[in-house]
Short mmCIF file of all heavy atoms in Angstrom, two decimals:
data_model
loop_
_atom_site.label_atom_id
_atom_site.label_comp_id
_atom_site.label_asym_id
_atom_site.label_seq_id
_atom_site.Cartn_x
_atom_site.Cartn_y
_atom_site.Cartn_z
N THR A 61 -4.78 -5.13 -7.37
CA THR A 61 -5.64 -5.82 -6.39
C THR A 61 -5.02 -6.02 -5.02
O THR A 61 -5.64 -6.60 -4.14
CB THR A 61 -6.15 -7.20 -6.90
OG1 THR A 61 -5.09 -8.15 -6.89
CG2 THR A 61 -6.78 -7.10 -8.28
N VAL A 62 -3.79 -5.52 -4.80
CA VAL A 62 -3.15 -5.66 -3.49
C VAL A 62 -3.35 -4.37 -2.71
O VAL A 62 -3.02 -3.28 -3.19
CB VAL A 62 -1.64 -5.98 -3.64
CG1 VAL A 62 -0.96 -6.05 -2.29
CG2 VAL A 62 -1.44 -7.27 -4.42
N LEU A 63 -3.88 -4.50 -1.50
CA LEU A 63 -4.13 -3.35 -0.65
C LEU A 63 -2.81 -2.75 -0.18
O LEU A 63 -1.92 -3.46 0.29
CB LEU A 63 -4.96 -3.78 0.56
CG LEU A 63 -5.34 -2.69 1.56
CD1 LEU A 63 -6.23 -1.64 0.90
CD2 LEU A 63 -6.05 -3.31 2.75
N ILE A 64 -2.70 -1.42 -0.31
CA ILE A 64 -1.52 -0.68 0.14
C ILE A 64 -1.99 0.21 1.29
O ILE A 64 -2.92 1.00 1.12
CB ILE A 64 -0.93 0.20 -0.99
CG1 ILE A 64 -0.76 -0.58 -2.29
CG2 ILE A 64 0.35 0.87 -0.52
CD1 ILE A 64 0.19 -1.74 -2.23
N GLU A 65 -1.36 0.06 2.44
CA GLU A 65 -1.79 0.79 3.63
C GLU A 65 -0.62 1.45 4.32
O GLU A 65 0.52 1.00 4.22
CB GLU A 65 -2.44 -0.18 4.64
CG GLU A 65 -3.86 -0.55 4.33
CD GLU A 65 -4.84 0.57 4.63
OE1 GLU A 65 -4.62 1.36 5.56
OE2 GLU A 65 -5.84 0.64 3.92
N GLU A 66 -0.93 2.50 5.09
CA GLU A 66 0.05 3.11 5.97
C GLU A 66 0.24 2.19 7.17
O GLU A 66 -0.73 1.63 7.68
CB GLU A 66 -0.44 4.48 6.42
CG GLU A 66 0.53 5.23 7.28
CD GLU A 66 0.04 6.61 7.64
OE1 GLU A 66 -0.73 7.21 6.85
OE2 GLU A 66 0.42 7.08 8.71
N ASP A 67 1.46 2.03 7.61
CA ASP A 67 1.79 1.13 8.71
C ASP A 67 1.09 1.56 10.00
O ASP A 67 1.45 2.57 10.60
CB ASP A 67 3.31 1.10 8.91
CG ASP A 67 3.74 0.23 10.07
OD1 ASP A 67 2.93 -0.56 10.57
OD2 ASP A 67 4.92 0.33 10.46
N PRO A 68 0.10 0.79 10.47
CA PRO A 68 -0.59 1.16 11.71
C PRO A 68 0.20 0.77 12.95
O PRO A 68 -0.14 1.18 14.06
CB PRO A 68 -1.89 0.36 11.62
CG PRO A 68 -1.52 -0.85 10.84
CD PRO A 68 -0.48 -0.40 9.85
N PHE A 69 1.26 0.00 12.77
CA PHE A 69 2.03 -0.52 13.90
C PHE A 69 3.29 0.31 14.17
O PHE A 69 3.99 0.09 15.14
CB PHE A 69 2.44 -1.97 13.65
CG PHE A 69 1.33 -2.82 13.11
CD1 PHE A 69 1.36 -3.27 11.79
CD2 PHE A 69 0.24 -3.17 13.90
CE1 PHE A 69 0.33 -4.04 11.28
CE2 PHE A 69 -0.78 -3.94 13.40
CZ PHE A 69 -0.74 -4.38 12.09
N ASN A 70 3.61 1.23 13.26
CA ASN A 70 4.83 2.05 13.33
C ASN A 70 6.09 1.20 13.47
O ASN A 70 6.98 1.51 14.27
CB ASN A 70 4.73 3.07 14.47
CG ASN A 70 3.67 4.10 14.22
OD1 ASN A 70 3.49 4.55 13.11
ND2 ASN A 70 2.94 4.46 15.26
N THR A 71 6.16 0.13 12.69
CA THR A 71 7.33 -0.75 12.73
C THR A 71 8.12 -0.75 11.43
O THR A 71 9.26 -1.20 11.43
CB THR A 71 6.90 -2.20 13.02
OG1 THR A 71 5.98 -2.63 12.01
CG2 THR A 71 6.25 -2.33 14.38
N ILE A 72 7.54 -0.24 10.36
CA ILE A 72 8.21 -0.25 9.06
C ILE A 72 9.03 1.03 8.92
O ILE A 72 8.50 2.13 9.03
CB ILE A 72 7.20 -0.37 7.90
CG1 ILE A 72 6.28 -1.58 8.08
CG2 ILE A 72 7.91 -0.42 6.56
CD1 ILE A 72 7.00 -2.91 8.12
N THR A 73 10.32 0.88 8.65
CA THR A 73 11.18 2.05 8.48
C THR A 73 11.07 2.56 7.04
O THR A 73 10.60 1.85 6.15
CB THR A 73 12.65 1.70 8.80
OG1 THR A 73 13.06 0.62 7.96
CG2 THR A 73 12.81 1.31 10.27
N GLN A 74 11.54 3.77 6.84
CA GLN A 74 11.48 4.36 5.50
C GLN A 74 12.23 3.51 4.50
O GLN A 74 13.24 2.89 4.82
CB GLN A 74 12.06 5.77 5.50
CG GLN A 74 11.00 6.82 5.76
CD GLN A 74 11.53 8.20 5.52
OE1 GLN A 74 12.30 8.71 6.32
NE2 GLN A 74 11.11 8.80 4.42
N ASN A 75 11.69 3.47 3.29
CA ASN A 75 12.25 2.72 2.16
C ASN A 75 12.23 1.22 2.37
O ASN A 75 13.01 0.50 1.77
CB ASN A 75 13.64 3.23 1.80
CG ASN A 75 13.62 4.68 1.39
OD1 ASN A 75 12.73 5.10 0.68
ND2 ASN A 75 14.56 5.45 1.87
N ASN A 76 11.35 0.77 3.23
CA ASN A 76 11.06 -0.65 3.41
C ASN A 76 9.57 -0.84 3.24
O ASN A 76 8.79 0.09 3.47
CB ASN A 76 11.48 -1.14 4.80
CG ASN A 76 12.97 -1.29 4.92
OD1 ASN A 76 13.55 -2.20 4.34
ND2 ASN A 76 13.60 -0.39 5.66
N ILE A 77 9.18 -2.03 2.84
CA ILE A 77 7.76 -2.35 2.79
C ILE A 77 7.54 -3.57 3.68
O ILE A 77 8.43 -4.40 3.85
CB ILE A 77 7.25 -2.62 1.36
CG1 ILE A 77 7.95 -3.82 0.72
CG2 ILE A 77 7.42 -1.40 0.49
CD1 ILE A 77 7.35 -4.23 -0.61
N GLY A 78 6.36 -3.63 4.24
CA GLY A 78 5.98 -4.79 5.03
C GLY A 78 4.91 -5.55 4.27
O GLY A 78 4.04 -4.96 3.64
N ILE A 79 4.97 -6.87 4.35
CA ILE A 79 3.97 -7.71 3.70
C ILE A 79 3.35 -8.58 4.79
O ILE A 79 4.06 -9.28 5.52
CB ILE A 79 4.58 -8.61 2.60
CG1 ILE A 79 5.25 -7.75 1.53
CG2 ILE A 79 3.51 -9.48 1.96
CD1 ILE A 79 6.71 -7.91 1.51
N ILE A 80 2.02 -8.50 4.91
CA ILE A 80 1.31 -9.31 5.89
C ILE A 80 0.12 -9.96 5.22
O ILE A 80 -0.32 -9.54 4.14
CB ILE A 80 0.85 -8.48 7.11
CG1 ILE A 80 -0.09 -7.35 6.70
CG2 ILE A 80 2.03 -7.95 7.89
CD1 ILE A 80 -0.67 -6.58 7.86
#
Side-chain angles (χ1 to χ4, degrees):
T61 73
V62 177
L63 181 63
I64 312 298
E65 280 286 328
E66 183 177 331
D67 178 13
F69 315 110
N70 293 321
T71 58
I72 306 299
T73 58
Q74 269 190 286
N75 299 319
N76 285 289
I77 62 172
I79 301 112
I80 59 175

